[in-house]
Amino acid sequence: MDGGLITGNFTHDDAKILAAQLKYGALPVPLDIIAFDTIGPSLGKISVDRSVRAGIIGVVTVMTFMLIYYRAAGIPADLALLLFAAVNFALFKTPSGHAQPPGYHWLFDLIGTAVDGNILIFERMKEELRAGRTMDRAIEAGFERAWTSIRDSNISTIIICIILYFFGNAFGASAVQGFAVTLAWV
């Protein structure tokens, strides 16, 4: 395949440059293969297993922190977090879902977002309790006062996802688009 025909409004020199670029890539330099390695599917499985293990360790650490720091209030928060993760995992594993083992990072992003919301609510509740409110009023006020921060954070994230999606397409980085869609879903 050393021959070919270049047609169009090219000069002889332009056609030679284009032929060299097509043959060797963007830079007109010869390609010398220095090493050749074959990587089997077991490396991908090891990577996925390690990522899942790291994610589980992270979730357990966060749940332990919430139990220690928020004491009794950390128990329902941890249970709600596990239920939240299980429901979302089940949604992504449906036939129309898009979960693939290398993409399980979204689940850990989701849990981090949920924990962020929990912390905002609990800290607002603690402020209300310190101000002398009853537990019922502190819970109600905690949710009300934390909502604006949670809403604004999520709106900012969605705006960033839209920007990533459209600019990811412009630069041919479909992985950026996939990340934007997944992050917006989370």
mmCIF file of all heavy atoms in Angstrom, residues 50-79:
data_model
loop_
_atom_site.group_PDB
_atom_site.id
_atom_site.type_symbol
_atom_site.label_atom_id
_atom_site.label_comp_id
_atom_site.label_asym_id
_atom_site.label_seq_id
_atom_site.Cartn_x
_atom_site.Cartn_y
_atom_site.Cartn_z
ATOM 1 N N ARG A 50 -9.808 -3.288 42.064
ATOM 2 C CA ARG A 50 -9.144 -2.350 42.979
ATOM 3 C C ARG A 50 -9.947 -1.065 43.138
ATOM 4 O O ARG A 50 -10.028 -0.512 44.232
ATOM 5 C CB ARG A 50 -7.733 -2.042 42.489
ATOM 6 C CG ARG A 50 -6.785 -3.196 42.678
ATOM 7 C CD ARG A 50 -5.401 -2.873 42.198
ATOM 8 N NE ARG A 50 -4.523 -4.017 42.377
ATOM 9 C CZ ARG A 50 -3.304 -4.092 41.872
ATOM 10 N NH1 ARG A 50 -2.816 -3.097 41.172
ATOM 11 N NH2 ARG A 50 -2.570 -5.165 42.079
ATOM 12 N N SER A 51 -10.546 -0.594 42.060
ATOM 13 C CA SER A 51 -11.365 0.616 42.126
ATOM 14 C C SER A 51 -12.588 0.392 43.003
ATOM 15 O O SER A 51 -12.935 1.242 43.827
ATOM 16 C CB SER A 51 -11.809 1.043 40.734
ATOM 17 O OG SER A 51 -10.709 1.378 39.949
ATOM 18 N N VAL A 52 -13.236 -0.741 42.828
ATOM 19 C CA VAL A 52 -14.419 -1.051 43.651
ATOM 20 C C VAL A 52 -14.006 -1.192 45.118
ATOM 21 O O VAL A 52 -14.683 -0.671 46.017
ATOM 22 C CB VAL A 52 -15.121 -2.321 43.128
ATOM 23 C CG1 VAL A 52 -16.174 -2.815 44.106
ATOM 24 C CG2 VAL A 52 -15.735 -2.058 41.762
ATOM 25 N N ARG A 53 -12.885 -1.861 45.375
ATOM 26 C CA ARG A 53 -12.409 -2.011 46.753
ATOM 27 C C ARG A 53 -12.105 -0.644 47.372
ATOM 28 O O ARG A 53 -12.493 -0.366 48.503
ATOM 29 C CB ARG A 53 -11.164 -2.896 46.802
ATOM 30 C CG ARG A 53 -10.729 -3.200 48.234
ATOM 31 C CD ARG A 53 -9.514 -4.125 48.365
ATOM 32 N NE ARG A 53 -9.397 -5.107 47.329
ATOM 33 C CZ ARG A 53 -8.311 -5.265 46.568
ATOM 34 N NH1 ARG A 53 -7.247 -4.521 46.755
ATOM 35 N NH2 ARG A 53 -8.264 -6.186 45.640
ATOM 36 N N ALA A 54 -11.457 0.232 46.619
ATOM 37 C CA ALA A 54 -11.155 1.578 47.120
ATOM 38 C C ALA A 54 -12.438 2.354 47.388
ATOM 39 O O ALA A 54 -12.550 3.068 48.395
ATOM 40 C CB ALA A 54 -10.287 2.336 46.122
ATOM 41 N N GLY A 55 -13.422 2.200 46.507
ATOM 42 C CA GLY A 55 -14.705 2.867 46.714
ATOM 43 C C GLY A 55 -15.415 2.372 47.953
ATOM 44 O O GLY A 55 -15.976 3.167 48.724
ATOM 45 N N ILE A 56 -15.405 1.068 48.172
ATOM 46 C CA ILE A 56 -16.046 0.501 49.364
ATOM 47 C C ILE A 56 -15.344 0.979 50.624
ATOM 48 O O ILE A 56 -15.996 1.359 51.611
ATOM 49 C CB ILE A 56 -16.075 -1.041 49.275
ATOM 50 C CG1 ILE A 56 -17.062 -1.470 48.179
ATOM 51 C CG2 ILE A 56 -16.453 -1.661 50.613
ATOM 52 C CD1 ILE A 56 -17.000 -2.938 47.829
ATOM 53 N N ILE A 57 -14.026 1.009 50.605
ATOM 54 C CA ILE A 57 -13.278 1.513 51.767
ATOM 55 C C ILE A 57 -13.636 2.973 52.020
ATOM 56 O O ILE A 57 -13.849 3.387 53.168
ATOM 57 C CB ILE A 57 -11.754 1.332 51.557
ATOM 58 C CG1 ILE A 57 -11.384 -0.146 51.606
ATOM 59 C CG2 ILE A 57 -10.963 2.122 52.598
ATOM 60 C CD1 ILE A 57 -9.974 -0.455 51.159
ATOM 61 N N GLY A 58 -13.740 3.766 50.954
ATOM 62 C CA GLY A 58 -14.118 5.172 51.104
ATOM 63 C C GLY A 58 -15.508 5.333 51.687
ATOM 64 O O GLY A 58 -15.734 6.152 52.589
ATOM 65 N N VAL A 59 -16.467 4.552 51.205
ATOM 66 C CA VAL A 59 -17.843 4.639 51.707
ATOM 67 C C VAL A 59 -17.901 4.218 53.173
ATOM 68 O O VAL A 59 -18.551 4.881 53.992
ATOM 69 C CB VAL A 59 -18.787 3.786 50.840
ATOM 70 C CG1 VAL A 59 -20.157 3.645 51.492
ATOM 71 C CG2 VAL A 59 -18.923 4.391 49.452
ATOM 72 N N VAL A 60 -17.229 3.134 53.519
ATOM 73 C CA VAL A 60 -17.217 2.681 54.915
ATOM 74 C C VAL A 60 -16.574 3.740 55.810
ATOM 75 O O VAL A 60 -17.058 4.018 56.911
ATOM 76 C CB VAL A 60 -16.504 1.313 55.044
ATOM 77 C CG1 VAL A 60 -16.232 0.952 56.490
ATOM 78 C CG2 VAL A 60 -17.334 0.228 54.370
ATOM 79 N N THR A 61 -15.520 4.371 55.334
ATOM 80 C CA THR A 61 -14.858 5.428 56.109
ATOM 81 C C THR A 61 -15.805 6.606 56.333
ATOM 82 O O THR A 61 -15.910 7.126 57.454
ATOM 83 C CB THR A 61 -13.573 5.896 55.397
ATOM 84 O OG1 THR A 61 -12.712 4.777 55.209
ATOM 85 C CG2 THR A 61 -12.863 6.974 56.176
ATOM 86 N N VAL A 62 -16.501 7.015 55.278
ATOM 87 C CA VAL A 62 -17.442 8.130 55.405
ATOM 88 C C VAL A 62 -18.582 7.771 56.356
ATOM 89 O O VAL A 62 -18.975 8.569 57.207
ATOM 90 C CB VAL A 62 -17.991 8.542 54.014
ATOM 91 C CG1 VAL A 62 -19.188 9.459 54.129
ATOM 92 C CG2 VAL A 62 -16.893 9.204 53.205
ATOM 93 N N MET A 63 -19.099 6.559 56.225
ATOM 94 C CA MET A 63 -20.191 6.144 57.112
ATOM 95 C C MET A 63 -19.724 6.069 58.565
ATOM 96 O O MET A 63 -20.462 6.475 59.472
ATOM 97 C CB MET A 63 -20.757 4.806 56.646
ATOM 98 C CG MET A 63 -21.510 4.917 55.334
ATOM 99 S SD MET A 63 -22.074 3.345 54.664
ATOM 100 C CE MET A 63 -23.189 2.814 55.933
ATOM 101 N N THR A 64 -18.518 5.591 58.779
ATOM 102 C CA THR A 64 -17.963 5.549 60.140
ATOM 103 C C THR A 64 -17.804 6.958 60.690
ATOM 104 O O THR A 64 -18.153 7.230 61.850
ATOM 105 C CB THR A 64 -16.602 4.817 60.132
ATOM 106 O OG1 THR A 64 -16.783 3.510 59.589
ATOM 107 C CG2 THR A 64 -16.022 4.729 61.524
ATOM 108 N N PHE A 65 -17.304 7.874 59.864
ATOM 109 C CA PHE A 65 -17.171 9.265 60.287
ATOM 110 C C PHE A 65 -18.526 9.834 60.693
ATOM 111 O O PHE A 65 -18.645 10.491 61.724
ATOM 112 C CB PHE A 65 -16.562 10.107 59.164
ATOM 113 C CG PHE A 65 -16.638 11.581 59.421
ATOM 114 C CD1 PHE A 65 -15.736 12.192 60.281
ATOM 115 C CD2 PHE A 65 -17.633 12.353 58.838
ATOM 116 C CE1 PHE A 65 -15.817 13.550 60.535
ATOM 117 C CE2 PHE A 65 -17.718 13.711 59.081
ATOM 118 C CZ PHE A 65 -16.809 14.310 59.940
ATOM 119 N N MET A 66 -19.556 9.583 59.868
ATOM 120 C CA MET A 66 -20.881 10.122 60.198
ATOM 121 C C MET A 66 -21.412 9.523 61.486
ATOM 122 O O MET A 66 -22.062 10.218 62.279
ATOM 123 C CB MET A 66 -21.857 9.910 59.039
ATOM 124 C CG MET A 66 -21.524 10.795 57.867
ATOM 125 S SD MET A 66 -22.767 11.070 56.590
ATOM 126 C CE MET A 66 -23.738 9.628 56.520
ATOM 127 N N LEU A 67 -21.143 8.260 61.736
ATOM 128 C CA LEU A 67 -21.584 7.649 62.994
ATOM 129 C C LEU A 67 -20.858 8.248 64.193
ATOM 130 O O LEU A 67 -21.461 8.511 65.229
ATOM 131 C CB LEU A 67 -21.351 6.133 62.957
ATOM 132 C CG LEU A 67 -22.363 5.322 62.183
ATOM 133 C CD1 LEU A 67 -21.913 3.871 62.101
ATOM 134 C CD2 LEU A 67 -23.737 5.422 62.809
ATOM 135 N N ILE A 68 -19.565 8.458 64.054
ATOM 136 C CA ILE A 68 -18.781 9.005 65.172
ATOM 137 C C ILE A 68 -19.122 10.473 65.405
ATOM 138 O O ILE A 68 -19.360 10.892 66.539
ATOM 139 C CB ILE A 68 -17.267 8.833 64.904
ATOM 140 C CG1 ILE A 68 -16.901 7.346 64.947
ATOM 141 C CG2 ILE A 68 -16.445 9.621 65.905
ATOM 142 C CD1 ILE A 68 -15.496 7.042 64.446
ATOM 143 N N TYR A 69 -19.176 11.251 64.341
ATOM 144 C CA TYR A 69 -19.350 12.695 64.479
ATOM 145 C C TYR A 69 -20.791 13.073 64.809
ATOM 146 O O TYR A 69 -21.033 13.965 65.618
ATOM 147 C CB TYR A 69 -18.895 13.403 63.201
ATOM 148 C CG TYR A 69 -18.765 14.894 63.356
ATOM 149 C CD1 TYR A 69 -17.684 15.441 64.044
ATOM 150 C CD2 TYR A 69 -19.707 15.754 62.824
ATOM 151 C CE1 TYR A 69 -17.552 16.806 64.192
ATOM 152 C CE2 TYR A 69 -19.585 17.126 62.963
ATOM 153 C CZ TYR A 69 -18.504 17.655 63.655
ATOM 154 O OH TYR A 69 -18.389 19.006 63.805
ATOM 155 N N TYR A 70 -21.766 12.407 64.166
ATOM 156 C CA TYR A 70 -23.170 12.771 64.379
ATOM 157 C C TYR A 70 -23.905 11.817 65.313
ATOM 158 O O TYR A 70 -25.106 11.947 65.510
ATOM 159 C CB TYR A 70 -23.894 12.859 63.028
ATOM 160 C CG TYR A 70 -23.369 13.972 62.174
ATOM 161 C CD1 TYR A 70 -22.709 13.708 60.984
ATOM 162 C CD2 TYR A 70 -23.512 15.293 62.560
ATOM 163 C CE1 TYR A 70 -22.216 14.738 60.204
ATOM 164 C CE2 TYR A 70 -23.013 16.327 61.793
ATOM 165 C CZ TYR A 70 -22.369 16.039 60.615
ATOM 166 O OH TYR A 70 -21.878 17.055 59.852
ATOM 167 N N ARG A 71 -23.201 10.844 65.844
ATOM 168 C CA ARG A 71 -23.728 9.889 66.810
ATOM 169 C C ARG A 71 -25.034 9.246 66.330
ATOM 170 O O ARG A 71 -25.072 8.661 65.269
ATOM 171 C CB ARG A 71 -23.891 10.548 68.173
ATOM 172 C CG ARG A 71 -22.562 10.987 68.777
ATOM 173 C CD ARG A 71 -22.802 11.513 70.191
ATOM 174 N NE ARG A 71 -21.872 12.506 70.662
ATOM 175 C CZ ARG A 71 -21.801 13.780 70.283
ATOM 176 N NH1 ARG A 71 -22.586 14.233 69.396
ATOM 177 N NH2 ARG A 71 -20.917 14.595 70.792
ATOM 178 N N ALA A 72 -26.105 9.370 67.085
ATOM 179 C CA ALA A 72 -27.367 8.698 66.764
ATOM 180 C C ALA A 72 -27.940 9.175 65.436
ATOM 181 O O ALA A 72 -28.547 8.391 64.698
ATOM 182 C CB ALA A 72 -28.383 8.912 67.883
ATOM 183 N N ALA A 73 -27.759 10.441 65.112
ATOM 184 C CA ALA A 73 -28.281 10.955 63.838
ATOM 185 C C ALA A 73 -27.529 10.357 62.648
ATOM 186 O O ALA A 73 -28.051 10.343 61.531
ATOM 187 C CB ALA A 73 -28.171 12.475 63.801
ATOM 188 N N GLY A 74 -26.351 9.839 62.875
ATOM 189 C CA GLY A 74 -25.585 9.229 61.806
ATOM 190 C C GLY A 74 -26.149 7.887 61.360
ATOM 191 O O GLY A 74 -25.934 7.479 60.223
ATOM 192 N N ILE A 75 -26.887 7.211 62.243
ATOM 193 C CA ILE A 75 -27.456 5.895 61.897
ATOM 194 C C ILE A 75 -28.486 6.027 60.771
ATOM 195 O O ILE A 75 -28.353 5.357 59.735
ATOM 196 C CB ILE A 75 -28.049 5.200 63.142
ATOM 197 C CG1 ILE A 75 -26.919 4.869 64.122
ATOM 198 C CG2 ILE A 75 -28.808 3.925 62.747
ATOM 199 C CD1 ILE A 75 -27.408 4.393 65.484
ATOM 200 N N PRO A 76 -29.535 6.863 60.937
ATOM 201 C CA PRO A 76 -30.469 6.975 59.807
ATOM 202 C C PRO A 76 -29.812 7.581 58.561
ATOM 203 O O PRO A 76 -30.194 7.243 57.437
ATOM 204 C CB PRO A 76 -31.591 7.876 60.335
ATOM 205 C CG PRO A 76 -31.070 8.517 61.561
ATOM 206 C CD PRO A 76 -29.969 7.647 62.079
ATOM 207 N N ALA A 77 -28.833 8.453 58.752
ATOM 208 C CA ALA A 77 -28.136 9.027 57.594
ATOM 209 C C ALA A 77 -27.392 7.928 56.833
ATOM 210 O O ALA A 77 -27.417 7.891 55.595
ATOM 211 C CB ALA A 77 -27.170 10.115 58.040
ATOM 212 N N ASP A 78 -26.731 7.034 57.551
ATOM 213 C CA ASP A 78 -26.027 5.926 56.910
ATOM 214 C C ASP A 78 -26.996 4.976 56.213
ATOM 215 O O ASP A 78 -26.749 4.527 55.095
ATOM 216 C CB ASP A 78 -25.184 5.158 57.925
ATOM 217 C CG ASP A 78 -23.910 5.884 58.300
ATOM 218 O OD1 ASP A 78 -23.567 6.885 57.636
ATOM 219 O OD2 ASP A 78 -23.254 5.453 59.273
ATOM 220 N N LEU A 79 -28.102 4.684 56.871
ATOM 221 C CA LEU A 79 -29.105 3.794 56.261
ATOM 222 C C LEU A 79 -29.704 4.433 55.009
ATOM 223 O O LEU A 79 -29.882 3.760 53.986
ATOM 224 C CB LEU A 79 -30.200 3.447 57.269
ATOM 225 C CG LEU A 79 -29.756 2.581 58.462
ATOM 226 C CD1 LEU A 79 -30.895 2.411 59.448
ATOM 227 C CD2 LEU A 79 -29.248 1.234 57.979
#
